[in-house]
């Protein structure tokens, strides 16, 4: 069983970068370069870099981008929301986390989307312990999202993580009847994506960037957790 010390907490570096950096005129490339440097300076390696041909060290998903956005020269605009997805490899293990940040002044609907998405992640985690059915995660997330009139994206899942970047188990964030129970010592991600409109996605020609089919805003939060006998330990919480 990996210890918490085996995992690196990327959000420490994101926090060190400072939320003030997510302001209008900052480019997603600048964010990528800053986080890359922080990871390397910490003696770790950015897991996404080169993974399946991914060209950057982090994913930056802005507004209607559900996930896997590739950092580029795009400048953040006042009112944007941006998810920064960081995975690092350190001491033989991968640790995977993401957070959606608010850029400048955003409307109340966008703030609510971000807030509810984080709440969905925490509610999903709260169901977890040894012997619990995986399907309870999706049910808890869906209940909370629907209560606020938001949709849960179904085309992306959580996953096992540890010595391997992506592995079993597969974690569905929507209601489902998939079999399987959590086992003490398992490590996996929960990473729900919520949309203000369509939950269907369109893929860009780059093969990575997934956007909502109707252009509506999407937000995502993610943690790596460790299943224990009595609950779940958040390994990427700082």
């Amino acid at each position: 069983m990996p210890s918490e010390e085996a995992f690196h907490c990327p959000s420490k570096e994101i926090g060190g970068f400072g939320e003030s950096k997510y302001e209008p005129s900052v480019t997603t490339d600048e964010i990528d370069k800053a986080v890359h440097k922080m990871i390397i300076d910490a003696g770790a390696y950015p897991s996404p870099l080169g993974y399946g041909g991914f060209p950057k060290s982090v994913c930056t998903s802005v507004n209607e981008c559900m996930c896997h956005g590739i950092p580029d020269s795009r400048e953040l605009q006042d009112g944007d929301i941006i998810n920064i997805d960081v995975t690092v490899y350190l001491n033989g293990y991968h640790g995977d986390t993401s957070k959606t940040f608010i850029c400048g002044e955003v409307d109340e609907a966008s703030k609510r989307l971000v807030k509810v998405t984080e709440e969905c992640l925490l509610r999903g985690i709260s169901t977890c312990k040894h012997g619990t059915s995986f399907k309870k995660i999706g049910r808890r997330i869906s209940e909370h999202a629907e209560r606020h009139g938001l949709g849960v994206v179904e085309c992306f899942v959580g996953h096992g993580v540890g010595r391997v970047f992506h592995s079993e188990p597969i974690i569905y964030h929507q209601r489902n009847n998939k079999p399987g129970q959590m086992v003490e010592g398992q490590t996996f991600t929960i990473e729900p994506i919520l949309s203000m409109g369509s939950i269907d996605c369109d893929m860009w020609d780059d093969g990575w960037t997934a956007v909502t089919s109707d252009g509506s805003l999407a937000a995502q939060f993610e943690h790596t957790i460790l299943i224990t006998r009595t609950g779940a330990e958040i390994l990427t919480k700082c």
Side-chain angles (χ1 to χ4, degrees), residues 204-220:
W204 284 8
D205 291 341
D206 61 25
W208 289 99
T209 307
V211 299
T212 56
S213 61
D214 62 357
S216 58
L217 293 186
Q220 183 181 34

Side-chain angles (χ1 to χ4, degrees), residues 109 112-117 120 141-142 144-153 194-197 199 217:
R112 184 171 61 89
L113 170 66
V114 172
K115 178 177 182 290
V116 173
T117 305
C120 281
I141 290 171
S142 295
H144 191 63
E146 291 164 4
R147 192 175 301 126
H148 292 273
L150 299 170
V152 180
V153 172
L194 269 59
S195 169
M196 292 175 64
I199 62 171
L217 293 186

Side-chain angles (χ1 to χ4, degrees), residues 20-27 75-79 103-105:
S20 62
K21 293 291 185 179
Y22 307 109
E23 294 178 349
S25 80
V26 172
T27 70
E75 293 185 354
L76 294 177
Q77 304 296 315
D78 190 54
C103 179
E105 296 296 325

